[in-house]
Amino acid sequence: MKVVVIGAQWGDEGKGKIVDYLANEAQVIVRFSGGANAGHTIVIGDEQYALHLIPSGIFYPDKIVILGAGMVIDPVALFTELEMLRDRGIDATGRVFISDRAHIVLPRYIAVDKERDAARKKPIGTTGRGIGVAYSMKSDRDGIRLADLGWREKMDELESGDRKFLAPYIDRLLAMSVDLSVYLVHRKNSQILFEGAQGTLLDLDLGTYPYVSSGMSCAAGAAIGGCVGPRALDKVLGVFKAYSTRVGNGPLPSEFDPDSEDELCRFVRDTGREYGVTTGRPRRCGYLDLVSLRYACLTNSIDSLVMTHLDVYDALDGIKACTAYRIGDKVVENFPSSIEDLNGARPVLRTFTGWKQPLSRALTYEEFPVAAMEYIEFIERFCETPIDIVSVGYDRKETIIRKSPWTR
């Protein structure tokens, strides 16, 4: 069975924890998009790990993890991450592979990335990791793939600085190379988990363009970046937080008002640890945006939702969610493509009663307070999509499974 996990918001939804949790029942975990601009925080007991390139399933000693064809790989970041894992007792030897179709991020891409964003009249707010430039080079057909590292003619075309940079990494990278399509065909009866990066609203085509990432963070990207046909994918899970966050510039229609809701924003940001894993930047925070979440469900054929960070609301008397936008004199219930409309949108909010008790004490969904269940079940009705998993903390144990994604 092949299960896809994607972000259903603007990234940072907690996909890393969910992939780590679900990987227990998978044999192979494939990350299909993005690069070192992504950041996943994994908490296992008293230990906390930050990953940027390597799939979260690496923490299980019997799992294979693969960096897919849709990824762009920074060799420095990759081997630094592998070294970090080794130093902390995680043996990844022989368990990390890279699709031979994945592209390489070169150091000059990083410099170009920073210069390009700084020169924009309205900067996008990229992580400055060279990701957009790598994807741009790929589209221009001037990039370099893992498969090309052994192609002498192609290597001779590169600038001398690029060849010098790559030289100490070539043998190590080629030793990890795999023909992903063939590899997965030979494991067609295995449980395979496809891990996305960023979120639907940062997808190059489906997101709030131009304030998006450069890769495919939608469910369709799992087929392309995972080197399988779309009909081979059995289920799509969309991960979302109980509220909304965004890093960098671009619209966030349900954002907390900085004048009247600054205290609420600081509470959510600090309680939810809303600071970028990759950049350390504080995330912008707002109410759960159900308009965009329903859009994510529709455009990704999401079979079930995974809700995270619900426990952040444990101490509040009441909470709110955005159910429509007010744009000018109109109430809009569908997610617009126009950035001008999104920038001018004001949230239409619905209020819910708080539950005023720690959800982490619950061992089953039935043990949740009624108010928490009412919030969850309203979201399900609004999005016409079930919420099958609810995370109420950072640890693996703080996860409530209502229905296993490994069932058809």
Short mmCIF file of all heavy atoms in Angstrom, two decimals, residues 50 83 91 131 143 184 200 205 226 283 325 332 403 407:
data_model
loop_
_atom_site.label_atom_id
_atom_site.label_comp_id
_atom_site.label_asym_id
_atom_site.label_seq_id
_atom_site.Cartn_x
_atom_site.Cartn_y
_atom_site.Cartn_z
N ALA A 50 16.28 17.79 14.51
CA ALA A 50 15.85 18.66 13.42
C ALA A 50 16.38 18.09 12.11
O ALA A 50 17.59 17.92 11.94
CB ALA A 50 16.37 20.09 13.61
N GLU A 83 25.96 13.13 9.47
CA GLU A 83 26.95 13.14 10.54
C GLU A 83 26.29 13.43 11.89
O GLU A 83 26.63 12.82 12.91
CB GLU A 83 28.02 14.19 10.24
CG GLU A 83 29.15 14.21 11.24
CD GLU A 83 30.23 15.22 10.87
OE1 GLU A 83 30.17 15.78 9.74
OE2 GLU A 83 31.12 15.46 11.70
N ASP A 91 22.20 5.03 13.39
CA ASP A 91 23.00 4.41 12.33
C ASP A 91 22.18 4.38 11.03
O ASP A 91 21.22 3.61 10.91
CB ASP A 91 23.41 3.00 12.73
CG ASP A 91 24.33 2.35 11.70
OD1 ASP A 91 24.75 3.06 10.77
OD2 ASP A 91 24.61 1.15 11.83
N ILE A 131 17.27 26.82 -3.29
CA ILE A 131 16.29 25.85 -3.77
C ILE A 131 15.62 26.34 -5.05
O ILE A 131 15.54 25.61 -6.05
CB ILE A 131 15.22 25.57 -2.69
CG1 ILE A 131 15.88 25.18 -1.36
CG2 ILE A 131 14.25 24.50 -3.17
CD1 ILE A 131 16.81 24.01 -1.44
N GLY A 143 20.51 22.25 -15.20
CA GLY A 143 20.85 21.69 -13.89
C GLY A 143 21.72 20.46 -14.03
O GLY A 143 22.01 19.99 -15.13
N LEU A 184 11.12 0.68 -6.50
CA LEU A 184 9.78 0.56 -5.94
C LEU A 184 8.96 -0.54 -6.60
O LEU A 184 8.11 -1.17 -5.95
CB LEU A 184 9.05 1.90 -6.03
CG LEU A 184 9.65 3.03 -5.17
CD1 LEU A 184 8.80 4.29 -5.28
CD2 LEU A 184 9.77 2.61 -3.70
N THR A 200 0.42 22.65 0.54
CA THR A 200 -0.35 22.90 -0.68
C THR A 200 -0.35 24.38 -1.07
O THR A 200 -0.24 24.72 -2.25
CB THR A 200 -1.81 22.44 -0.47
OG1 THR A 200 -1.82 21.02 -0.33
CG2 THR A 200 -2.70 22.84 -1.64
N ASP A 205 2.03 25.58 -8.42
CA ASP A 205 0.83 25.75 -9.25
C ASP A 205 -0.43 26.01 -8.42
O ASP A 205 -1.27 26.81 -8.82
CB ASP A 205 0.60 24.50 -10.11
CG ASP A 205 1.68 24.34 -11.18
OD1 ASP A 205 1.79 25.23 -12.03
OD2 ASP A 205 2.41 23.35 -11.14
N GLY A 226 8.12 10.70 -6.77
CA GLY A 226 8.30 9.34 -6.24
C GLY A 226 8.46 8.30 -7.33
O GLY A 226 8.61 7.11 -7.03
N ARG A 283 7.08 32.58 13.10
CA ARG A 283 6.03 32.40 12.10
C ARG A 283 4.87 33.35 12.35
O ARG A 283 4.54 33.66 13.49
CB ARG A 283 5.53 30.95 12.12
CG ARG A 283 6.60 29.95 11.72
CD ARG A 283 6.15 28.51 11.91
NE ARG A 283 7.25 27.59 11.62
CZ ARG A 283 7.47 26.47 12.27
NH1 ARG A 283 6.68 26.11 13.26
NH2 ARG A 283 8.50 25.70 11.95
N TYR A 325 -14.40 34.60 3.56
CA TYR A 325 -13.68 35.87 3.49
C TYR A 325 -14.65 36.99 3.13
O TYR A 325 -15.57 36.79 2.32
CB TYR A 325 -12.59 35.84 2.41
CG TYR A 325 -11.57 34.74 2.53
CD1 TYR A 325 -11.03 34.16 1.38
CD2 TYR A 325 -11.10 34.29 3.76
CE1 TYR A 325 -10.07 33.17 1.44
CE2 TYR A 325 -10.14 33.30 3.85
CZ TYR A 325 -9.63 32.73 2.69
OH TYR A 325 -8.68 31.74 2.76
N VAL A 332 -16.99 35.76 0.37
CA VAL A 332 -16.44 34.76 -0.55
C VAL A 332 -16.18 33.47 0.22
O VAL A 332 -15.52 33.48 1.26
CB VAL A 332 -15.13 35.27 -1.19
CG1 VAL A 332 -14.50 34.20 -2.07
CG2 VAL A 332 -15.39 36.54 -1.99
N LYS A 403 -8.65 6.26 12.83
CA LYS A 403 -8.69 5.23 11.78
C LYS A 403 -7.30 5.14 11.17
O LYS A 403 -6.72 6.16 10.79
CB LYS A 403 -9.71 5.59 10.71
CG LYS A 403 -9.80 4.56 9.59
CD LYS A 403 -10.81 4.97 8.53
CE LYS A 403 -10.86 3.96 7.39
NZ LYS A 403 -11.83 4.36 6.34
N THR A 407 -5.29 1.29 6.15
CA THR A 407 -6.46 0.50 5.74
C THR A 407 -7.06 1.10 4.50
O THR A 407 -7.09 2.33 4.35
CB THR A 407 -7.52 0.50 6.86
OG1 THR A 407 -7.89 1.85 7.18
CG2 THR A 407 -6.99 -0.17 8.10
#
